[in-house]
Amino acid sequence: MNFEEINRVLFFTLNDICPIATSRISMMSIDDRYAVYPFLRFRFKDKDKNDVIYSKIRDAVRNFKGLLTWEMITYDDVPNYLILPSYVYSDGRPTSGDLNEHLLAKYGENLYRQMIDQAIVDIPNLACYIQNKLQVE
């Protein structure tokens, strides 16, 4: 799977489960994979924020065993969910400043790039894991 496919596979996997209302398809910058941490922001069309489908996906994301740990989060003040590596919000939701700059300062450029490379390996496997878990139920 090439980078462009990896960058979009989670969106398409979730969209196959239920149509997605949000428009961002890619998890990372197309021009520079290291420009920002990988994440997918989404919500489903015609699904309430508390619909059981979200808890099923959250459980699958939480139980996935990859190179990184992953999580699915949301906040009361936003309609969307995020799927992202756990390290991104390990210090909580930032109140100010650029999160990407904070992560670079916290981990250093080499480790930060390594974690993005690990995410690139994980993403297709995470998509497959979610798809398999939701088909079983």
Side-chain angles (χ1 to χ4, degrees):
M1 190 175 283
N2 67 38
F3 177 70
E4 184 176 335
E5 293 168 322
I6 291 169
N7 207 5
R8 298 174 176 198
V9 69
L10 191 54
F11 175 91
F12 290 125
T13 298
L14 294 175
N15 195 58
D16 286 346
I17 292 168
C18 185
I20 291 180
T22 48
S23 61
R24 182 183 165 130
I25 295 175
S26 297
M27 292 186 70
M28 294 166 278
S29 169
I30 295 167
D31 299 326
D32 178 5
R33 68 184 65 193
Y34 302 111
V36 68
Y37 59 89
F39 70 95
L40 180 68
R41 179 186 307 117
F42 75 100
R43 74 177 176 279
F44 294 121
K45 292 179 185 175
D46 305 320
K47 295 287 183 187
D48 182 82
K49 188 171 178 181
N50 297 317
D51 192 283
V52 68
I53 190 76
Y54 293 112
S55 61
K56 290 179 180 182
I57 294 168
R58 183 184 295 116
D59 289 345
V61 170
R62 185 178 298 131
N63 292 326
F64 171 71
K65 304 293 184 222
L67 298 174
L68 299 171
T69 56
W70 291 79
E71 60 186 305
M72 184 173 125
I73 62 172
T74 189
Y75 295 101
D76 292 338
D77 60 337
V78 294
N80 300 320
Y81 284 84
L82 295 172
I83 296 177
L84 66 172
S86 297
Y87 71 82
V88 174
Y89 285 124
S90 63
D91 293 335
R93 186 179 185 189
T95 55
S96 65
D98 181 88
L99 179 57
N100 212 52
E101 288 178 13
H102 167 75
L103 293 171
L104 278 166
K106 179 178 179 178
Y107 295 109
E109 188 170 353
N110 288 338
L111 182 55
Y112 178 75
R113 285 176 171 254
Q114 179 184 346
M115 290 187 297
I116 289 176
D117 289 339
Q118 291 171 325
I120 291 168
V121 171
D122 274 355
I123 290 167
N125 298 322
L126 174 60
C128 185
Y129 187 81
I130 291 169
Q131 184 177 38
N132 290 339
K133 286 295 184 184
L134 269 68
Q135 285 179 348
V136 170
E137 296 179 358

